[in-house]
């Protein structure tokens, strides 16, 4: 059996009270890349806060407050993995962990909040 490891998930801060009461629920309204509503059949996590940030707040691009949540990998099992990005120069990949089960509030820890402010492109 694989040793459990921590996983991280960012969500808009406006959802903090709901998550604290109900946990992370599969099928809750999310925002698609084009701003439209969608209802995912999974909850996504990454192994580091920065990787999760890249797949949520930076990907979304809204200048709002975001909350970081964490849990143990054993608490989202069974899960599937997906390579979310790969750098052809270094071979580095970012793995996304997807659970089709809702995560109970008793299994989550609130880590903290961060503002997404965007940033200028480097030249």
């Amino acid at each position: 059996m694989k040793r459990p490891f921590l996983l991280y998930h960012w969500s808009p801060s406006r959802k903090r009270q709901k998550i604290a009461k109900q946990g992370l629920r599969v099928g809750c309204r999310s925002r698609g890349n084009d701003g439209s509503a969608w209802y995912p059949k999974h909850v996504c996590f990454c192994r580091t806060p920065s990787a999760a940030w890249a797949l949520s707040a930076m990907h979304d691009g809204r200048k709002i407050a975001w909350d970081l949540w964490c849990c143990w990998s054993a608490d989202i099992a069974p899960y599937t993995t997906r390579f979310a990005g790969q750098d052809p120069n270094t071979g580095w990949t970012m793995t996304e962990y997807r659970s089709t089960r809702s995560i109970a509030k008793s299994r989550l820890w609130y880590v903290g909040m961060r503002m997404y402010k965007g940033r200028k492109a480097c030249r």
Side-chain angles (χ1 to χ4, degrees), residues 4-65:
F5 49 91
L6 285 173
L7 289 170
Y8 298 90
H9 174 90
W10 288 95
S11 66
S13 292
R14 64 180 168 72
K15 296 183 178 184
R16 183 183 308 157
Q17 287 184 338
K18 194 172 197 177
I19 293 170
K21 287 180 184 176
Q22 300 174 356
L24 290 170
R25 296 183 311 143
V26 171
C28 282
R29 183 175 188 223
S30 289
R31 184 180 140 130
N33 294 343
D34 60 359
S36 63
W38 71 297
Y39 300 85
K41 296 177 179 153
H42 55 269
V43 181
C44 296
F45 296 88
C46 284
R47 286 191 77 158
T48 66
S50 59
W53 183 255
L55 294 179
S56 55
M58 286 182 67
H59 184 70
D60 184 287
R62 286 183 287 170
K63 296 179 181 178
I64 60 171

Side-chain angles (χ1 to χ4, degrees), residues 43-114:
V43 181
C44 296
F45 296 88
C46 284
R47 286 191 77 158
T48 66
S50 59
W53 183 255
L55 294 179
S56 55
M58 286 182 67
H59 184 70
D60 184 287
R62 286 183 287 170
K63 296 179 181 178
I64 60 171
W66 292 81
D67 287 342
L68 180 63
W69 300 87
C70 74
C71 66
W72 289 104
S73 59
D75 293 331
I76 73 161
Y79 55 81
T80 58
T81 57
R82 177 178 170 268
F83 294 111
Q86 185 167 11
D87 183 333
N89 297 322
T90 64
W92 179 86
T93 60
M94 184 182 321
T95 304
E96 179 180 66
Y97 296 79
R98 290 184 174 185
S99 176
T100 55
R101 295 182 338 150
S102 295
I103 312 304
K105 66 180 182 180
S106 62
R107 301 295 183 192
L108 293 171
W109 291 293
Y110 172 73
V111 178
M113 186 269 298
R114 177 180 183 178

